[in-house]
Amino acid sequence: MIKENLAEVEEKICAACKRAGRDRSEVTLITVSKTNPVVRLKEAMDCGVSVFGENKVQEMLEKIEELPDSLEWHMIGHLQRNKVKYIMGKVALIHSVDSLRLAQEISKEAVKQGTEENILVEINVAEEESKFGITTEEAIQLVEEIAKLPAIHVKGLMTIAPFVDDPEENRQVFQSLKKLSVDIKQKNIDNVTMDVLSMGMTNDYEVAIEEGATMIRVGTGIFGRRSYNL
Ligand SMILES: *Cc1c(COP(=O)(O)O)cnc(C)c1O
């Protein structure tokens, strides 16, 4: 099942890249494995998956412990400051930095543990009350503040688009995030690059790719429906 799902996702990624005149290599597929047991991740690994996304620190650490070091882990969920110290040096990218206080904690712990952390700033483009992330207006200032901190590097932006029936409804959200990243890039802020745009999930990753996503986060489309929703 995972194998077939992966093949289908891969096909759709390629088609979306083609429509947008982009190269397949510009888009990284993050396989979102949250709530799935290690045995399912191993199944995915057997199909060639090596990049996983998790949204809970404890669950991610348990999986990192049990699986080979060669895997790449992405923290995509809301991160509490008191959990930051546990993931330093263990993740390729933290997608969900939504406050200066969280960035300060990451910077402090990274310095303390002698590592460097790459992060994305999470933007609540649609300004949904239920979602974490800062507004578009707040973004530039926050990026400028984070840029001054040691051992933390802003690599781009992330958003979780609204849950909609028709993915076309989210096209504007993705366009807005892309535009914001271009605006920030033009500011040439030291210690900031805008190479990563993490946007698009099972429901809407094709539209996200058409609008410039460089990382898509796909869970259900690969593992099937989760037993509970997070
Ligand atoms: C769960 C989750 C995903 C994957 O969602 P699917 O709809 O299952 O593809 C992507 N991003 C974040 C932040 C998530 O929490």
Side-chain angles (χ1 to χ4, degrees):
M1 193 59 179
I2 291 177
K3 192 170 177 209
E4 287 77 16
N5 289 346
L6 271 168
E8 189 185 326
V9 170
E10 183 58 37
E11 201 173 294
K12 287 181 175 167
I13 293 172
C14 288
C17 284
K18 203 163 176 193
R19 284 194 298 278
R22 302 180 63 195
D23 196 274
R24 170 65 185 90
S25 64
E26 292 172 39
V27 181
T28 301
L29 170 62
I30 297 172
T31 297
V32 176
S33 46
K34 65 187 186 197
T35 79
N36 282 280
V38 162
V39 56
R40 302 271 286 159
L41 277 73
K42 285 184 177 160
E43 232 183 290
M45 286 166 60
D46 288 340
C47 302
V49 171
S50 61
V51 183
F52 288 105
E54 289 281 337
N55 70 339
K56 293 225 155 67
V57 166
Q58 184 62 30
E59 185 180 344
M60 183 173 71
L61 290 174
E62 283 168 17
K63 288 170 178 173
I64 290 175
E65 191 69 19
E66 284 191 53
L67 292 166
D69 290 341
S70 54
L71 300 175
E72 186 178 304
W73 296 92
H74 289 250
M75 181 64 206
I76 62 172
H78 184 65
L79 182 57
Q80 288 168 303
R81 280 179 295 139
N82 61 356
K83 302 268 176 73
V84 163
K85 56 179 177 286
Y86 302 115
I87 64 167
M88 293 297 95
K90 295 191 170 158
V91 294
L93 190 61
I94 300 169
H95 290 232
S96 43
V97 173
D98 60 356
S99 72
L100 184 58
R101 288 172 79 204
L102 176 59
Q104 284 167 335
E105 181 67 19
I106 293 169
S107 171
K108 190 188 90 188
E109 281 299 326
V111 168
K112 204 160 134 190
Q113 299 190 32
T115 63
E116 306 269 322
E117 294 296 323
N118 292 329
I119 64 121
L120 304 178
V121 172
E122 179 173 353
I123 313 288
N124 185 354
V125 178
E127 299 195 17
E128 290 179 286
E129 292 209 1
S130 59
K131 297 252 166 79
F132 293 105
I134 59 162
T135 65
T136 305
E137 290 73 38
E138 296 165 322
I140 291 176
Q141 199 192 344
L142 179 59
V143 170
E144 282 173 340
E145 292 295 327
I146 297 175
K148 297 176 199 156
L149 301 172
I152 183 171
H153 310 290
V154 180
K155 296 292 178 187
L157 305 177
M158 179 272 223
T159 197
I160 302 174
F163 188 81
V164 291
D165 287 326
D166 179 1
E168 279 300 326
E169 291 176 47
N170 279 337
R171 189 176 292 278
Q172 234 189 349
V173 169
F174 300 139
Q175 285 172 346
S176 298
L177 195 71
K178 171 74 189 186
K179 182 182 178 301
L180 179 61
S181 82
V182 171
D183 289 348
I184 294 174
K185 194 181 170 142
Q186 277 172 355
K187 299 214 165 257
N188 278 318
I189 306 165
D190 236 27
N191 186 30
V192 172
T193 60
M194 281 287 134
D195 297 335
V196 179
L197 265 190
S198 170
M199 57 188 196
M201 305 170 31
T202 296
N203 202 35
D204 54 20
Y205 66 86
E206 293 161 272
V207 175
I209 290 170
E210 287 170 13
E211 298 303 335
T214 69
M215 285 185 185
I216 56 170
R217 311 177 305 265
V218 181
T220 318
I222 293 169
F223 288 109
R225 275 189 62 191
R226 285 180 288 276
S227 43
Y228 55 100
N229 245 327
L230 291 174

